[in-house]
Amino acid sequence: MNSHLSGALRNAFEELAETAPPPAGLAPAALVAARRQRITRRIASGGTAVAVCAALIGVIAAVAPTSTTDGTDRSASDTMRPNVVTAYTGIRDANVTDPSPHFFYSLLLDYSTGRYERVAYPYVKPSPDGRRVLVTTYDDSATPPMRTGLMDRASGDVRWISDATIGSSLAENPWSPDGRWILLIDIQGERGFGLLDPETLKITYVPLPDVASQPEQRLNLVWTPDGNGVAMMFTQVADQPEDTVTGIRFYDLTGRVVRTVSTGPGAYPFLPTLSPGGGGIALRTRSSPQEPFVITVVDSTTGAVRHTVTAPPGGSLLGWADEEHLLFQVVDSDQGPAQPSAATTAGATQSRQLVVVDLDGRVDHSVTLSAVDSHQYFQRLFIGPSTGLPPTAAPITF
Amino acid sequence: MNADLEREFTEFVEARSHSLFRTALALTGHRQQAEDLLQTVLAKGVPHWERIRTGNPEGYLRTALYRQQTSWWRSVRRGREVSAEQVPEIAEPRDDNATVDLGLALRQALARLAPKHRAVLVLRYFEDLPDSEIAQILNCTESTVRSQHARALARLRVLCPDLAILDTKEKTSR
């Protein structure tokens, strides 16, 4: 290496680093931005931040039967419903204080018993059919060594994935609705996406040739409900603030553009966004941190607004429960029941509930998250179909 | 996040923002982009603060800066040039005696590097980190770091022909 070049580079970076002082108000702005994104929720007395995200596309069963328990808490009912929490992941073990791999653990639903079993992986993501589980190991150190693998649920055996191009953000890598692929969103050095075959662990790279030519910022990739393509949310560069969706482009699994839908400005992306039947796209519209956000449901073909739904107080949108209902998590017990007019039968407020709301904004039913202690920290939960659960598991379905 | 954690987060950011912002500036070379980058990473760090505060929060956020910056989802938006696999022919260097501002030319060339190439150079020459640590931060192998480094320098020589002056100096000093 040319020592003069090394010196020139060091000088150049040092000069660049000194061109400006840090802006004022970084921390308050970050706190407001985090609240705006509804990633954090205040929990009643624990005061612990909980980040919850669900991967629902394709793992939700078909349209639910007509509810007979309008506005009720599912913990008080024995009706089997189509959805269930299949895993809680990143649960903090309070007995471990060092940054060891045991810092977090996960709970996986056992479909044969309807109970959750503890597994020693800090991150798990079950496939839609429950046969396989994407697992990741890491600890709490600054740059934790990470390993990712696929666990066979029956045997517990894990096949570790050695490909370094996959990246570390596995939380954004969703199973396809049919469980045949795992969508790799952030591939190092690739302008496109990857498809990981869980049978062979072989990765197929799919370039998106139009990406380089479009003056847009890509925000997210999700599966289409039929599993035959992906949808990319994007924003126009010139006049839109960061992370604001202005359109969605659909691709088939070869990277060919199928169609582009303009959604208009002012909506934030989240996962997932497409309804299970593929007809609707739910977008979260801009709101102040003090107000409930509004979900705009647009037609997935025309982009026309079909519904606007106000989120329950303290609720964050997880996705679609079925074609006609949205699913929210309500974390903050301080803010009262999800919908006072409809949830009065639920009685006392709950610290963590999943609330199913129809497209007119009415609460259809809710279920209390009982697998983890109400004050226990967990990072994510995942939702899947309740098919195959014993009748005794009805109270945890929704 | 409760009030105590928010206060602790705020104090940490106030104490370490200068250092983190220096890294963001070195990575982006542009004040507004650096602010955007750091703000994005801090906002993403808020939900995880209770966990990362117990380890090395600055290291965590610094790693997040690099990973955020090198995500191709963001690189397209910024219109950055992506380094080609095949490096074109190197342009003719200028005369050694030409009065060029090498520093300025170098900074302009750095601005045109692909984010990942630039990140490797920042980690090596600004942070003075070994390949093993660079690989950890960028979540890749050490061999990838070495190849990215080589490509970045090759690309830099194309974008900044005046660097040939330094090669001449190097040969002269031997």
Side-chain angles (χ1 to χ4, degrees):
Chain A
M1 175 66 195
N2 185 328
S3 60
H4 287 87
L5 180 54
S6 299
L9 282 166
R10 287 192 170 87
N11 288 339
F13 286 130
E14 279 295 334
E15 288 170 8
L16 283 170
E18 292 300 327
T19 52
L26 275 171
L31 290 166
V32 169
R35 288 194 198 104
R36 187 191 68 184
Q37 293 164 11
R38 305 288 181 183
I39 296 172
T40 57
R41 290 291 179 271
R42 192 181 300 276
I43 294 178
S45 60
T48 310
V50 176
V52 179
C53 175
L56 291 171
I57 283 292
V59 297
I60 300 298
V63 176
T66 304
S67 172
T68 56
T69 55
D70 192 42
T72 59
D73 187 333
R74 286 287 304 120
S75 61
S77 170
D78 59 0
T79 305
M80 184 68 81
R81 290 190 180 272
N83 306 312
V84 68
V85 175
T86 58
Y88 296 86
T89 192
I91 304 170
R92 176 76 173 88
D93 189 334
N95 295 321
V96 179
T97 56
D98 59 43
S100 73
H102 303 291
F103 200 80
F104 295 109
Y105 66 93
S106 299
L107 292 175
L108 274 174
L109 178 64
D110 183 339
Y111 271 82
S112 64
T113 64
R115 296 178 180 276
Y116 293 92
E117 59 180 18
R118 176 170 174 158
V119 292
Y121 298 105
Y123 180 82
V124 298
K125 192 170 197 174
S127 63
D129 60 10
R131 291 172 51 223
R132 296 189 178 96
V133 183
L134 191 62
V135 300
T136 297
T137 63
Y138 59 90
D139 57 35
D140 195 42
S141 57
T143 54
M146 293 185 66
R147 282 207 305 170
T148 302
L150 275 168
M151 182 176 78
D152 181 271
R153 188 66 199 281
S155 67
D157 295 338
V158 176
R159 293 174 294 152
W160 297 104
I161 301 168
S162 58
D163 194 317
T165 62
I166 291 177
S168 58
S169 55
L170 279 167
E172 308 303 327
N173 292 340
W175 288 93
S176 64
D178 55 11
R180 291 179 57 228
W181 303 101
I182 296 170
L183 177 63
L184 304 177
I185 295 171
D186 194 2
I187 307 296
Q188 292 181 19
E190 295 288 335
R191 287 175 179 272
F193 58 88
L195 296 171
L196 174 67
D197 183 342
E199 289 284 351
T200 63
L201 301 187
K202 182 182 175 186
I203 297 172
T204 302
Y205 296 103
V206 182
L208 298 178
D210 68 307
V211 164
S213 61
Q214 300 286 343
E216 301 157 347
Q217 181 189 7
R218 273 125 287 273
L219 298 172
N220 235 328
L221 268 183
V222 296
W223 283 100
T224 55
D226 60 10
N228 293 325
V230 297
M232 181 180 73
M233 286 173 278
F234 63 83
T235 187
Q236 300 290 341
V237 174
D239 56 353
Q240 296 302 321
E242 182 95 357
D243 294 347
T244 302
V245 175
T246 58
I248 299 183
R249 185 167 297 124
F250 294 80
Y251 300 88
D252 65 19
L253 293 185
T254 67
R256 184 178 64 87
V257 176
V258 177
R259 70 179 189 276
T260 300
V261 178
S262 174
T263 62
Y268 294 101
F270 67 97
L271 279 175
T273 185
L274 290 161
S275 63
I281 302 170
L283 295 164
R284 191 176 65 184
T285 53
R286 185 191 298 268
S287 64
S288 73
Q290 290 75 32
E291 297 174 357
F293 51 84
V294 174
I295 309 303
T296 303
V297 177
V298 301
D299 187 283
S300 65
T301 303
T302 65
V305 175
R306 291 184 354 196
H307 301 275
T308 55
V309 180
T310 301
S316 58
L317 182 64
L318 295 182
W320 293 79
D322 57 49
E323 197 66 15
E324 300 298 330
H325 294 85
L326 297 170
L327 180 64
F328 294 86
Q329 183 179 21
V330 178
V331 179
D332 192 344
S333 66
D334 291 334
Q335 298 191 40
Q339 285 278 354
S341 60
T344 48
T345 54
T349 60
Q350 301 291 339
S351 59
R352 282 187 279 199
Q353 287 183 313
L354 297 181
V355 179
V356 177
V357 176
D358 69 21
L359 296 181
D360 292 323
R362 290 188 295 264
V363 172
D364 188 88
H365 59 275
S366 62
V367 61
T368 300
L369 298 179
S370 55
V372 290
D373 183 84
S374 61
H375 306 315
Q376 198 168 15
Y377 176 92
F378 67 92
Q379 291 178 319
R380 295 170 189 271
L381 57 78
F382 296 106
I383 310 296
S386 62
T387 309
L389 283 171
T392 53
I396 65 170
T397 64
F398 53 92
Chain B
M1 186 186 285
N2 64 29
D4 288 341
L5 287 173
E6 285 195 3
R7 187 162 50 249
E8 183 186 271
F9 175 80
T10 301
E11 289 171 357
F12 168 82
V13 173
E14 286 175 355
R16 302 310 306 162
S17 60
H18 179 73
S19 172
L20 290 169
F21 193 60
R22 275 171 53 85
T23 298
L25 278 169
L27 268 173
T28 62
H30 186 278
R31 177 175 181 162
Q32 282 193 322
Q33 287 181 4
E35 288 186 19
D36 173 52
L37 175 64
L38 181 53
Q39 193 69 72
T40 299
V41 166
L42 289 174
K44 288 185 175 181
V46 167
H48 307 291
W49 178 249
E50 189 184 23
R51 176 171 65 87
I52 64 180
R53 63 190 275 276
T54 60
N56 176 4
E58 185 171 352
Y60 180 96
L61 293 171
R62 196 176 299 280
T63 297
L65 279 175
Y66 284 97
R67 291 185 179 176
Q68 179 76 19
Q69 179 66 4
T70 53
S71 168
W72 71 270
W73 293 94
R74 295 172 61 84
S75 67
V76 176
R77 175 200 178 212
R78 295 190 175 123
R80 285 221 171 89
E81 179 174 333
V82 174
S83 302
E85 290 293 314
Q86 298 296 323
V87 179
E89 291 296 316
I90 297 176
E92 282 295 313
R94 295 183 188 178
D95 187 278
D96 284 359
N97 297 320
T99 55
V100 294
D101 185 341
L102 183 59
L104 178 62
L106 184 54
R107 289 197 294 277
Q108 288 173 342
L110 286 169
R112 296 182 61 195
L113 279 185
K116 192 159 289 181
H117 286 173
R118 181 171 178 138
V120 169
L121 296 183
V122 171
L123 285 161
R124 177 168 287 187
Y125 298 109
F126 182 67
E127 307 273 13
D128 278 325
L129 293 180
D131 287 352
S132 58
E133 290 186 40
I134 296 174
Q136 272 196 325
I137 288 171
L138 297 181
N139 196 30
C140 62
T141 63
E142 288 185 46
S143 62
T144 300
V145 170
R146 287 190 287 273
S147 65
Q148 294 278 352
H149 175 250
R151 286 179 184 174
L153 289 183
R155 189 71 183 138
L156 209 53
R157 290 177 192 279
V158 173
L159 297 170
C160 183
D162 297 323
L163 288 175
I165 296 171
L166 300 178
D167 292 333
T168 305
K169 283 185 179 178
E170 187 78 5
K171 289 172 185 171
T172 307
S173 61
R174 284 176 185 166

